[in-house]
Amino acid sequence: MKRVRLLSWLLSAGVLSFTLATVGAQVAQAQRPIRIFDLKCVKTSGDSYYYSSDDLSIGRELYTSFLAIQRRGSWTCQLPGGRASLRIEYGSADKDNKPPAKIDVYVDGNQVASHTGKEGIVNTMMVDVSNGKSLAIDINCSRATNCDSGFYYFFWFHIIPGARSPGSR
């Protein structure tokens, strides 16, 4: 009788542990940031871009980029669904003397954010893209002159599942 109880308790504990481990792993996986180009995307216009690991100085601080865009770019991507935020960190190298980028963000065809960067810093943009089906991003030079020199470098260009932008409800 004691042996049956012990086996029953061990089996219950094992099933509970397996269930908690599986659910915990799914929650941890769901919170991992997704690179924008790991989504299903189409390039709608713009110049070439490349994946980079360039070291550069912005505001006399060292940064390593993962993406570089020369003048402009536009993409439309399929969102994973549910609550999520788009996080973009970008800038221009000190040596390039390039005007800041202007980034417009659209969810399901409606403009939800616009951000014009500042020179000499890494700019951060957070946008709530919760429950959207598609995401469009337009990146352009903020001025009409000196746009051909250098690149816009990106350090974060990710969807963060389960997160919302600060201040949104």
Side-chain angles (χ1 to χ4, degrees), residues 12-23:
S12 296
V15 168
L16 179 62
S17 296
F18 177 76
T19 302
L20 290 175
T22 303
V23 170

Side-chain angles (χ1 to χ4, degrees), residues 30-99:
Q31 300 302 319
R32 218 172 256 152
I34 304 166
R35 272 189 172 178
I36 196 76
F37 296 121
D38 288 342
L39 299 172
K40 182 178 179 181
C41 296
V42 294
K43 182 177 172 185
T44 54
S45 71
D47 297 318
S48 61
Y49 63 93
Y50 70 95
Y51 293 105
S52 72
S53 57
D54 296 340
D55 290 327
L56 55 139
S57 172
I58 298 178
R60 298 179 187 230
E61 293 186 55
L62 183 66
Y63 294 91
T64 302
S65 70
F66 84 91
L67 178 70
I69 299 172
Q70 190 163 17
R71 285 181 290 266
R72 64 188 179 280
S74 294
W75 294 271
T76 301
C77 304
Q78 185 176 8
L79 287 168
R83 287 182 31 172
S85 287
L86 168 67
R87 179 178 173 184
I88 302 173
E89 291 183 9
Y90 65 97
S92 299
D94 292 337
K95 68 177 177 59
D96 289 342
N97 195 27
K98 185 175 184 76

Side-chain angles (χ1 to χ4, degrees), residues 1 11 28 66 91 95 110 122 127 153:
M1 186 68 146
L11 182 62
F66 84 91
K95 68 177 177 59
N110 300 308
V122 171
V127 180
Y153 293 95

